[in-house]
Amino acid sequence: MFFREKFTKSGRVLKLIESYRDSASVPRHRTVASLGDAPLDGKEWAEVSKAVEDILYGRVELLPRELSEGQRQWVDRITRQVNSENKWHPFVSTGEKPELIDGVLADRVSHTDTAEVGAVLVGWETWKRLGMPEFLHRLGFNRDQSLSAAVSVINRLVDPRSEHSLLEWYRRTGLPELMGNALRGAGDDRFYRVSDKLLTHSKEIEQHLRQRQMDIFKLERTVLLYDLTNTHFEGLCAQNPKAKRGKNKQKRTDCPQIVVGMVFDQYGFEMAHKIFEGNQHDAKSLVEMVDELNASVAPGAEKPLVIIDAGIATADNLALLREHGFRYLVNDTRVQRKSYLEYFRQEDKFTIIPGRPDKSPVMVRMMDDPLAKNAQTTPERVLLCKSEQRGDKEDAILSNAEKRFLQAVERLATRIEKGQIKEKPKIERAIGRLSAQHPRVNRFYTVALEEDGQAPQLKWRRDDGRFGEAAELCGCYVLRTDDQSYNGHDLWRLYITLTKAEDGFKSLKTDLGLRPNRHHKEERVDGHVFICILAYHLLRNILWTLEQKNDNRNWESLKRVLCTHCYTTIMLPTQGGQTHRIRKAGQPEECQKAIYQALGISWNKLPCHRSVVGGGQG
């Protein structure tokens, strides 16, 4: 096959052409697909046409095809078009379409029981790559328990479901073939039991995964990131003493919740976790988490730098980290940055972070803390940071908040003017509610009721000095550390790695179904969290492997690409009355092959099953 350009009155047309010989051995050409004015570079024609021809004729690759990402997309697009149009058929030398093909009744060929294999294959191979089957066996898991654990974790990765629906989901995927159809008998209670067993060995499993990730990727862990999130319950959850109402980041204060503290390394891999009561204060969690931090450090290794959020970085917590040999890096609160306003104004003392040509500039200034109160304490340095992009964002937030506040004030003033609120105590309560609803900007305004012998009027005035200072600090933030070895640029880059922890929590809550938690018993709630964390280990392993090969797609994008690679049962009825049933995975598309190749997954030797039914004369 080859490509040919044709120019008509309506414009350029690119066609995929096939050459063949007819019954008289005369060379002929026929159109395989008309692609319109497709912008396919002429330098790509030979590779793409050869790949399409091999796929359409079902030729097996002896070696992996070396195609670029763009070439793979064109190969997939063209083969899908040819198959969907159903105008082209493989060449038959007789020129006739036979009723029989090697004894098979071609027009009766069909397929059934199609099941997605792409994402679960990636999950299963990653599970094995992490050595989980062998490690669970050493922990005393039998084969059925080990497979049930794999199903629970891979389900969290691919399509989070409740334990009640896991068996049904398992049977509708390619996992039975991949696992040798070994998960049989019993009911869905097996997944509750295996959740309990996994939780019992959580410390050993986390230790194994920490070491395994380090061995696979040769990681040097010099930074730890600590942060917290929460997951709420749909119900009272009366059987779980940890379920308490507390500050909820999704505003679900109507629901009890638990708080999950997690430690990540600078690459985004989970190192340790701990589950707290739902009303746990962020700052108090570190006291209980220190043991987990210590456990995440390899014996004899130097204690890493710990990056924590301002809400956790109390003076007592920083002293606790120093006591255990950890260095720290924290982001001061918004209130504290005001103290450094005069230093932020000295722009000639700042330097621009290099190596960010396509991003808005960030300027930093490293200095000993000029506001240190006690020279006898551990010396601290501060890094003053000014981000143009962050400044634009905070300025827009402040402006929108002020706009909403003024609209609310004007509405209240109109109600007072129309006499809809007359009593002074009610008006004062309304002013108090208004201030409480707009905490971001009410501090810049004075709102008061003025009477002056006439009808009461609402008056308000902005403190332009305070507002100007706040606007001037938009995009400014202060990093604080007791580490003396890093320069300002390196320290800023380390702080940015905190986004790895934020990305980890986002993945847990969106991709892996951490919330809401539908369990009620404490051990089942904790087990649900731990299974989500195990799924996160698979996810981070997959994404990090691809990131090393410059593929930065998120998991949702990868799943969309992989979802069309499936297992199916092909039924081939023969002239003799027998039906051959072949259960096998389809040929992956080029974009799917690229993912498998990057992850080191072989798709050519996936399990295949054959059987024959029927007999006698047809």
Side-chain angles (χ1 to χ4, degrees):
M1 293 183 182
F2 59 94
F3 286 100
R4 174 187 291 166
E5 278 184 323
K6 184 177 181 180
F7 293 90
T8 66
K9 293 181 179 180
S10 58
R12 170 182 175 272
V13 178
L14 182 66
K15 293 186 175 184
L16 180 63
I17 306 297
E18 181 181 33
S19 62
Y20 68 100
R21 291 181 179 274
D22 63 11
S23 57
S25 295
V26 177
R28 302 286 186 184
H29 289 167
R30 62 173 177 168
T31 299
V32 179
S34 180
L35 305 176
D37 189 19
L40 177 58
D41 192 329
K43 297 178 181 178
E44 315 282 358
W45 288 4
E47 290 81 4
V48 173
S49 61
K50 179 66 170 68
V52 171
E53 181 180 352
D54 289 346
I55 291 172
L56 293 179
Y57 277 97
R59 295 168 185 156
V60 178
E61 299 174 34
L62 297 178
L63 295 173
R65 187 180 289 118
E66 295 293 334
L67 296 178
S68 68
E69 181 61 26
Q71 290 172 338
R72 293 178 187 279
Q73 292 176 359
W74 277 109
V75 171
D76 292 340
R77 170 182 164 178
I78 295 168
T79 52
R80 279 197 299 268
Q81 178 178 331
V82 173
N83 290 330
S84 62
E85 289 177 347
N86 198 31
K87 295 178 181 178
W88 176 88
H89 301 282
F91 177 71
V92 180
S93 60
T94 61
E96 300 178 356
K97 183 178 180 180
E99 292 181 292
L100 296 175
I101 301 177
D102 290 338
V104 175
L105 305 177
D107 57 345
R108 297 184 188 177
V109 172
S110 62
H111 68 88
T112 186
D113 196 18
T114 299
E116 182 180 342
V117 69
V120 297
L121 172 61
V122 169
W124 174 240
E125 291 297 325
T126 307
W127 177 263
K128 293 191 295 183
R129 184 186 189 194
L130 290 173
M132 288 301 292
E134 298 82 3
F135 186 71
L136 293 183
H137 177 71
R138 292 200 296 272
L139 290 177
F141 285 64
N142 61 35
R143 178 172 171 76
D144 184 82
Q145 291 169 334
S146 179
L147 292 176
S148 297
V151 170
S152 294
V153 175
I154 294 171
N155 170 258
R156 288 280 110 193
L157 176 71
V158 176
D159 184 19
R161 304 273 186 105
S162 69
E163 280 79 1
H164 287 299
S165 59
L166 273 185
L167 271 180
E168 179 185 0
W169 172 84
Y170 161 79
R171 294 179 183 124
R172 293 185 178 277
T173 69
L175 280 177
E177 284 74 27
L178 299 178
M179 293 179 169
N181 289 287
L183 198 61
R184 305 185 181 200
D188 54 28
D189 60 333
R190 71 169 72 206
F191 298 109
Y192 291 108
R193 295 196 301 270
V194 82
S195 171
D196 297 340
K197 194 172 180 66
L198 285 170
L199 186 62
T200 302
H201 297 282
S202 61
K203 299 298 183 185
E204 300 101 305
I205 293 173
E206 279 187 314
Q207 171 62 30
H208 165 77
L209 290 172
R210 284 198 299 266
Q211 188 60 47
R212 186 73 172 184
Q213 307 280 21
M214 183 178 290
D215 294 342
I216 292 174
F217 298 114
K218 312 301 180 185
L219 304 177
E220 294 183 8
R221 288 167 167 148
T222 58
V223 176
L224 294 180
L225 318 168
Y226 175 57
D227 208 349
L228 302 104
T229 190
N230 53 54
T231 173
H232 61 273
F233 304 94
E234 300 288 357
L236 296 177
C237 207
Q239 301 179 60
N240 186 354
K242 293 177 183 168
K244 303 285 179 63
R245 285 183 171 82
K247 183 178 179 181
N248 187 281
K249 297 178 181 179
Q250 286 69 48
K251 311 300 182 185
R252 291 304 303 268
T253 53
D254 59 316
C255 299
Q257 64 178 21
I258 56 170
V259 172
V260 183
M262 291 185 65
V263 180
F264 299 88
D265 66 11
Q266 68 262 44
Y267 312 104
F269 290 99
E270 188 265 353
M271 300 289 287
H273 82 284
K274 192 173 184 66
I275 300 173
F276 303 100
E277 294 182 351
N279 59 358
Q280 174 73 47
H281 191 281
D282 287 2
K284 295 181 179 179
S285 67
L286 190 63
V287 176
E288 299 184 48
M289 198 68 188
V290 163
D291 289 341
E292 309 299 330
L293 284 170
N294 284 318
S296 66
V297 180
E302 182 182 357
K303 292 290 182 71
L305 179 76
V306 179
I307 303 178
I308 53 179
D309 199 25
I312 306 172
T314 64
D316 289 342
N317 281 344
L318 297 183
L320 181 66
L321 288 174
R322 290 194 295 268
E323 180 185 337
H324 284 266
F326 291 101
R327 297 157 292 142
Y328 58 79
L329 173 63
V330 301
N331 182 10
D332 274 357
T333 63
R334 295 177 183 273
V335 175
Q336 291 171 309
R337 70 180 177 178
K338 181 181 176 182
S339 305
Y340 297 89
L341 178 57
E342 64 174 286
Y343 300 99
F344 277 114
R345 287 172 173 166
Q346 300 169 0
E347 294 194 2
D348 58 320
K349 302 290 182 65
F350 284 79
T351 60
I352 296 178
I353 299 290
R356 307 175 74 248
D358 300 328
K359 299 181 180 179
S360 58
V362 174
M363 299 190 298
V364 297
R365 177 185 181 183
M366 192 68 158
M367 57 195 302
D368 292 333
D369 188 2
L371 306 180
K373 297 179 180 179
N374 188 349
Q376 301 304 315
T377 60
T378 301
E380 287 186 329
R381 297 188 300 163
V382 292
L383 183 69
L384 308 186
C385 309
K386 299 175 71 172
S387 167
E388 182 178 308
Q389 181 179 0
R390 184 166 176 169
D392 292 341
K393 178 182 176 181
E394 291 183 358
D395 184 63
I397 291 173
L398 183 61
S399 298
N400 290 333
E402 184 183 28
K403 181 179 178 180
R404 290 192 297 269
F405 174 76
L406 292 176
Q407 289 172 346
V409 171
E410 289 170 359
R411 286 195 298 269
L412 179 58
T414 301
R415 293 176 63 198
I416 295 172
E417 183 180 346
K418 291 181 177 180
Q420 294 174 347
I421 306 179
K422 298 180 180 180
E423 299 177 13
K424 185 176 179 179
K426 289 185 177 180
I427 295 175
E428 291 176 343
R429 286 197 295 270
I431 294 173
R433 285 194 299 270
L434 185 145
S435 297
Q437 291 167 359
H438 300 271
R440 191 181 295 273
V441 293
N442 74 67
R443 56 199 169 102
F444 305 124
Y445 281 84
T446 300
V447 181
L449 185 67
E450 296 184 2
E451 298 180 85
D452 296 333
Q454 301 177 356
Q457 289 185 321
L458 193 67
K459 299 291 184 179
W460 58 95
R461 183 179 68 258
R462 188 176 79 174
D463 185 335
D464 291 336
R466 293 187 64 192
F467 188 86
E469 287 183 355
E472 195 175 353
L473 285 169
C474 285
C476 299
Y477 52 101
V478 181
L479 306 182
R480 182 180 305 279
T481 183
D482 65 343
D483 191 293
Q484 306 294 318
S485 61
Y486 290 102
N487 62 41
H489 294 177
D490 291 340
L491 205 60
W492 180 85
R493 294 183 188 281
L494 283 177
Y495 169 71
I496 293 302
T497 62
L498 188 59
T499 57
K500 295 291 186 182
E502 295 169 354
D503 291 343
F505 280 131
K506 183 179 178 181
S507 297
L508 280 166
K509 291 177 284 191
T510 56
D511 297 328
L512 309 178
L514 177 65
R515 68 161 69 115
N517 196 318
R518 294 181 173 83
H519 298 280
H520 295 278
K521 296 182 179 180
E522 181 178 7
E523 65 273 16
R524 293 287 155 74
V525 169
D526 293 356
H528 171 85
V529 172
F530 186 55
I531 287 174
C532 290
I533 289 173
L534 292 179
Y536 176 74
H537 276 278
L538 301 189
L539 175 60
R540 191 66 202 129
N541 190 294
I542 294 164
L543 296 182
W544 180 256
T545 302
L546 294 176
E547 286 167 13
Q548 305 316 295
K549 301 185 179 180
N550 297 317
D551 186 342
N552 295 299
R553 285 175 289 183
N554 61 27
W555 180 232
E556 280 301 313
S557 299
L558 294 169
K559 284 197 296 183
R560 281 195 296 271
V561 173
L562 293 169
C563 70
T564 55
H565 187 209
C566 300
Y567 259 99
T568 194
T569 300
I570 305 168
M571 297 182 291
L572 304 175
T574 63
Q575 187 179 22
Q578 295 179 329
T579 297
H580 294 257
R581 297 173 64 91
I582 304 173
R583 180 72 173 168
K584 66 182 300 184
Q587 182 79 357
E589 299 176 0
E590 292 301 315
C591 55
Q592 296 164 344
K593 291 178 184 177
I595 296 173
Y596 293 149
Q597 288 173 1
L599 295 173
I601 296 173
S602 173
W603 66 87
N604 288 321
K605 297 181 180 180
L606 293 179
C608 176
H609 308 288
R610 298 171 181 267
S611 62
V612 180
V613 296
Q617 295 295 321

